[in-house]
Amino acid sequence: IFLILTWRCGKRWILAILGLAAVASLALTQWGAVAQPAFAFFMLPTRCWELLVGAFTAFYAEKQNDQSASQPVSQSASMAGLLLICIAIFLFDKNTPFPSVYALVPTIGAGLVILYATPPTLIGKLLSSKVVVGVGLVSYSAYLWHQPLLAFAHHRSDDDLSNLLLLSLCVMSFVLAYISWNFVEKPFRAKNKFTRKSIFILGFVGSLFFFVIGLSGHLSKGFPFRVDAITATLDNPNMEIFESRVAECWSKFDERPNIDSACLLGQPEGARSFALLGDSHAGSLLHEVSANARKLEIGGLNFSYRSCPPLKRLKPVPFFEGDMVCWRLRQSFFDDLSKTSIVPNTIVISARWALLVEKARFRNREGGNEVGSDWVWNLRGDNLVYSEAMGNEIVESVQLILKTGRKVILVYPVPEMGWQVPTYLAKKYWVNQALSDADGATSYSTYLQRNKRAMEVLDSLGERDNLIRVRPDKILCDSVVKMRCVSHLRGEPLYVDNNHLSNVGAKLIVDEIMKHIGK
C-alpha cells in the first residue's frame, strides 16, 4: 500500500522515507527491549526495520543491475555476513536484549550473504551444497514442527530440558519436516493436482477449523475436562489475595497515592493497632492479617503496594509513571511518622529483601529460573558496591520508624522457589497421581546463600525492645523436609507463583506475626 501511494514520488524519495522509518523503528525497538520486551518482540512497529533492511537489500541488488562485485569484495563481504550470523547464533543468549540494536548483527549478516554469496565464493559454494540445500527445502516445515515439539516437551517436563532431549527433538523435527515436505508441500505445489481455487477453499476450511478449536478452548477456559479435578485445583490456587482484596486496596493508591487512602484491615470499628508496609510480599500477607485481626477485634491499615519496598529515598531504574504512586505513598508515610494521627504504633514490614540487595532474579540451581529483568534502584554512595548501598538504605529506613518509638515486626525473606509452584505441582500430580512432601521443594542451603547479605543487613539493626523478627525460613524450611524449603502442605500450594505466598502459605507466617500485634 505504501509503494502504491508513493511510487510516483520516485525511488529516491521512497528510499528516504523508508530510511527514516527504519531509523525510527530501530530506536523504538531499543526502547522496547528494556521497557516493553513483549511488545518489542511481537509487534510490527518495532520489527519493521528488519524487513526494511531486506527492502534496501533488494533495492541495492536491483541497482547493481546484475553487475557482480569483484571477487575479493564478494569473498570478504559474504564471509563477514556468515560470521555475523554465527555470532548471533553462538554468542547471543537469553540475557541478550532482543530485538534491539543487537538484532543488527544477524540482519546485516543476512543482507551481506544475500548480496555477495555468489556461486564462485566459498560461502556461495557452501550454501549451494546438497546438504545445505536439502535443509533449506525442509526448513519451513522444520520451523513449523519444532514449536509444538518443544512446547509439549516443556509442558510435560518439570525441569529444564536436557541437551540430549533438545537435540533429539531437533532431529525429530527434521524427520517430520521431510515427511510433511514430501507429502504436503510438494503435492500442493503441483498445479495438476490442486487448483488455486481448491487451495483457497482448503485453506479457508482448515483455518476455520482451527479457529473454532481455539475459540472453544478460550470460552471453556482451556478444556478443563482434559485433566482431573485435583490437577486443575493445584494449577489454580486461591488467588483472592491479589485478585480481590489486594487489588481493591492498591487501586485506592492508584487514584490517590497518600496514606489517607489506606484501606482498613481487620475490624472496621476496631482501634488502628497496626499497619502493613512493603511491596507485594507484604501484600501477599494482607488477606490473612486482616482475617486474624477481625478475630482479635482490632483494626489496621494497609500501606503495601506493588513493587514498593519500604525505603524512603529510592527510585527504580528506569523510573516509569506508575512508579510515582509508590514514590508519593512512601513520602507520605515517612512524612507522617512524626505525627500520631494516622500511622499506627505497630508496623509489620515485609519486602522481597534478596531481590533488593542482589538485583538479580532467583535461580534455584535445580532448573527453576525466574524470568524477568534485574530490579535496579538509584542509590547513594558512589564508593559503595550496590549491595552495601542498598543495605544502608534499608537500615536507615527501618531506623526512621524505630526512632519514633513504634514497634516494628520485621518479616525476613520469604523463600523464593524459582518455578511456578502451582503449575509445577500440577504437573507432578498429573504424572504421578500423587505428591510427596518434597515435590516442588527447593534447597535450604541455596536459600541461605541467596539471602546471606540481605539477612546480614536486617541483622545489623541489632536487638531492640521495639523490634520483633519473624523468620519465614524457620517455618517453611528444614521442617517438613530436611534441608528443603517446601512448596506445599498436604497438596495445598504455599505460593501463587514463584515467590508470592498463597493464603495457605501466608497463614503460616501471619500466625507468628499476630502473636506480637496488640501486645
Side-chain angles (χ1 to χ4, degrees), residues 20 64 82 84 333 383 393 424 458 484:
L20 291 174
Q64 289 297 97
L82 186 60
L84 289 173
F333 173 83
N383 297 325
E393 295 289 346
Y424 188 97
L458 301 180
R484 304 287 287 178

Side-chain angles (χ1 to χ4, degrees), residues 283-477:
S284 68
L285 306 175
L286 187 153
H287 178 78
E288 288 298 324
V289 166
S290 186
N292 277 266
R294 280 196 298 273
K295 294 176 183 178
L296 297 175
E297 297 185 343
I298 59 175
L301 297 171
N302 171 67
F303 298 139
S304 76
Y305 186 76
R306 67 177 71 87
S307 302
C308 190
L311 306 174
K312 181 179 180 180
R313 300 179 180 86
L314 297 193
K315 291 183 179 180
V317 181
F319 188 67
F320 298 116
E321 184 178 350
D323 299 316
M324 187 58 70
V325 174
C326 171
W327 172 256
R328 289 173 177 168
L329 175 60
R330 286 201 313 264
Q331 298 312 301
S332 174
F333 173 83
F334 282 102
D335 290 344
D336 197 79
L337 280 178
S338 58
K339 307 171 186 177
T340 58
S341 57
I342 297 179
V343 178
N345 288 325
T346 298
I347 311 295
V348 180
I349 301 179
S350 179
R352 197 169 177 192
W353 305 113
L355 186 57
L356 277 172
V357 173
E358 304 296 339
K359 294 191 297 185
R361 301 283 168 174
F362 181 59
R363 304 170 70 89
N364 66 19
R365 302 178 186 176
E366 300 174 46
N369 301 317
E370 182 186 358
V371 176
S373 57
D374 291 351
W375 208 21
V376 186
W377 297 76
N378 279 318
L379 294 171
R380 299 170 301 158
D382 295 336
N383 297 325
L384 297 176
V385 298
Y386 187 91
S387 59
E388 292 176 349
M390 177 59 79
N392 289 343
E393 295 289 346
I394 292 172
V395 169
E396 290 178 20
S397 296
V398 176
Q399 283 177 338
L400 285 174
I401 302 173
L402 291 169
K403 287 177 181 178
T404 65
R406 289 179 172 83
K407 180 196 292 186
V408 170
I409 301 175
L410 187 60
V411 182
Y412 271 51
V414 170
E416 301 156 299
M417 292 286 106
W419 40 53
Q420 297 293 102
V421 169
T423 301
Y424 188 97
L425 295 176
K427 287 181 181 179
K428 281 286 187 182
Y429 186 86
W430 187 35
V431 173
N432 303 320
Q433 289 300 296
L435 287 176
S436 71
D437 291 339
D439 281 339
T442 56
S443 167
Y444 187 27
S445 60
T446 299
Y447 166 89
L448 293 174
Q449 185 174 349
R450 161 76 167 175
N451 292 278
K452 182 176 184 294
R453 287 192 287 202
M455 290 197 289
E456 286 175 350
V457 169
L458 301 180
D459 289 344
S460 69
L461 287 163
E463 298 299 323
R464 301 165 183 253
D465 292 337
N466 60 336
L467 177 60
I468 308 295
R469 292 177 167 87
V470 173
R471 291 280 299 266
D473 63 303
K474 299 298 183 183
I475 301 170
L476 302 175
C477 305

Side-chain angles (χ1 to χ4, degrees), residues 198-216:
S198 63
I199 288 176
F200 272 102
I201 292 174
L202 288 170
F204 175 78
V205 172
S207 298
L208 183 62
F209 172 74
F210 285 109
F211 172 79
V212 171
I213 290 178
L215 182 62
S216 301

